[in-house]
Amino acid sequence: MMHPCKFLCLSLTFTFILIPLVSARHCYYCDMTDDSNCMEKPVYCGKRENCFIARGLALGLPRVISKGCVHAIFCGRDHPIMYLGVTYNLTTYCCQGEFCNAGYPEDVQTPTDATIVAVFLAGLLLLLLMCWLL
């Protein structure tokens, strides 16, 4: 049987190793452009950022989109933005997950906690294996 102090130390070590893997994510980025010209480039987002796709609409004009990373407080908001001399109504759609903002805003999936649960379970199994081996 493992000493409780050693068990706590191992638990904290695995927690600090695995938490950054869950918190940070990769997203696609493209600057504001018309719908068909978005050249998606991979970017690394901060720990507290979500991936987003923003879609802009203006009466009688093709829609515009933008992609990247954003803080959660900006998710689901509409706001006016000026692009090529035209005011568009821009809506930001957010998601959580690796490269979840691929495609169009209609394709963005609702955030799930499946990744967090999977990493937690993997860490727990690894911890149990380490305890068994020690």
Side-chain angles (χ1 to χ4, degrees), residues 23-109:
S23 299
R25 67 185 46 90
H26 292 88
C27 300
Y28 285 112
Y29 169 82
C30 74
D31 206 2
M32 186 68 65
T33 186
D34 69 60
D35 206 16
S36 61
N37 288 329
C38 179
M39 302 298 287
E40 296 175 337
K41 298 175 200 162
V43 294
Y44 183 74
C45 296
K47 292 180 181 177
R48 294 186 178 101
E49 291 181 312
N50 293 321
C51 300
F52 81 90
I53 297 177
R55 179 177 60 189
L57 299 172
L59 190 60
L61 294 172
R63 69 181 180 182
V64 294
I65 63 172
S66 177
K67 297 182 181 188
C69 309
V70 70
H71 289 282
I73 61 170
F74 297 107
C75 298
R77 290 193 178 182
D78 295 340
H79 64 277
I81 189 166
M82 193 73 121
Y83 176 68
L84 298 178
V86 176
T87 302
Y88 285 83
N89 182 38
L90 194 72
T91 305
T92 303
Y93 303 89
C94 293
C95 60
Q96 297 174 348
E98 292 293 301
F99 299 110
C100 64
N101 64 339
Y104 295 98
E106 296 81 17
D107 301 332
V108 173
Q109 297 182 3

